[in-house]
Amino acid sequence: MVKNTLLQVWPIRAFDDNYIWCIHDGQSALVVDPGDAVPVLRYLEDQHLTLTGIVITHHHADHTGGILQILQTLKMAIPVYGPATIDIPGRTQGVMEGDKIEIAAPRISLKVFEVPGHTLSHVAYFANMQANVVEPMLFCGDTLFASGCGRLFEGTPTQMSQSLAKFAALPKNTLVYCTHEYTLSNIRFALAVEPNNANLISWAERATELRDKDLPTLPTTIGQELQVNPFMRCESKEVLQSALSVSGEASLPTSAHVLAVIRAWKDRF
Ligand code: ZN
Ligand code: FE
């Protein structure tokens, strides 16, 4: 019989500021982007969970570095999902835009989005509402962060802009599980772009309180990011004005042009 318990998602901390998200039903667990095996194995043991699969968003070591050690330690063949267009050691299932992954335990159905920008082969996984998922969930890797977006190591501003547009079209209550705790530094930059954004100012206070207690600021939601994330607000007046004055351009005709300016600005902020 398939167990139909509400799924829980918990962060496993790794390195300085990575979150390895663990999706579980109290028995079976998936982990997303295990950059380090040790904290994952310890968490599974502490929580008495059986790992049934690994989900990978992109090839960077802080997201993939633990895969082989986890597989070797478990001595069990479990599926490892990851982008099809790049070689990731340990990956067993290559995924592409539009793929639907059906996992039996924990029972979850994940839809794949290709979201180039941070890397070219970056993918994200979306779980819409289903029997045991009350709010939609997005595992976006290093594409979207709370109040920020990933650095463009491989992709173009146009690609990142299109990737963020895919996220913007998701339900506003979608919980967004980003893979780094970058929120406070992202907020400092976002306030430079939009000093008058009242939602951003109150979010800055709440996020600071959470971090003062050493609590994660994640997950965020799509609705929240549409209000406070300059990279998802390239059409807003204040973001455009700031981008125009920083770049000295007379016009920035598309969201991708605006994103290019503020991403470059953030890189040297
Ligand atoms: Zn990365
Ligand atoms: Fe990363």
Side-chain angles (χ1 to χ4, degrees), residues 228-259:
V228 301
N229 189 326
F231 298 95
M232 292 190 85
R233 294 170 54 76
C234 291
E235 271 136 56
S236 91
K237 223 172 163 184
E238 200 177 13
V239 174
L240 174 63
Q241 276 311 321
S242 293
L244 286 170
S245 75
V246 159
S247 64
E249 299 286 336
S251 81
L252 293 166
T254 69
S255 291
H257 288 93
V258 176
L259 188 141

Side-chain angles (χ1 to χ4, degrees), residues 18 33 57-63 118-119 122 141-143 145 150-151 153 179-180 182:
N18 281 68
D33 286 353
T57 64
H58 69 294
H59 65 82
H60 286 159
D62 64 313
H63 300 252
H118 178 67
T119 68
H122 203 302
D142 285 354
T143 300
F145 293 120
R151 261 177 202 266
F153 285 117
T179 43
H180 289 273
Y182 288 161

Side-chain angles (χ1 to χ4, degrees), residues 20-23 29-37 40-41 44 50-58 63-74 76-83 88-95 101 103 105-106 110 125:
I20 299 167
W21 294 102
C22 178
I23 309 166
L30 302 170
V31 288
V32 184
D33 286 353
D36 190 359
V40 172
L41 294 167
L44 294 169
T50 305
L51 193 70
T52 53
I54 294 175
V55 178
I56 300 295
T57 64
H58 69 294
H63 300 252
T64 57
I67 300 173
L68 293 180
Q69 195 188 331
I70 290 173
L71 296 177
Q72 278 155 17
T73 308
L74 293 178
M76 227 177 20
I78 57 170
V80 179
Y81 303 91
I88 294 172
R91 189 202 63 211
T92 62
Q93 329 270 326
V95 299
I101 304 172
I103 294 165
L110 295 168
Y125 300 86

Side-chain angles (χ1 to χ4, degrees), residues 147-170:
S147 308
C149 77
R151 261 177 202 266
L152 301 180
F153 285 117
E154 297 175 14
T156 64
T158 300
Q159 286 174 317
M160 180 56 98
S161 180
Q162 288 164 351
S163 296
L164 294 180
K166 288 183 185 177
F167 294 162
L170 294 174

Side-chain angles (χ1 to χ4, degrees), residues 20 84 92 121 125 177 181 186 215 240:
I20 299 167
T92 62
S121 51
Y125 300 86
Y177 293 92
E181 181 59 66
N186 285 341
L215 292 171
L240 174 63

Side-chain angles (χ1 to χ4, degrees), residues 3-8 23-29 49 104-107 132:
K3 208 171 180 298
N4 242 354
T5 319
L6 283 191
L7 295 186
Q8 303 187 36
I23 309 166
H24 73 82
D25 60 10
Q27 291 185 344
S28 307
L49 295 168
R107 180 112 201 89
N132 48 359

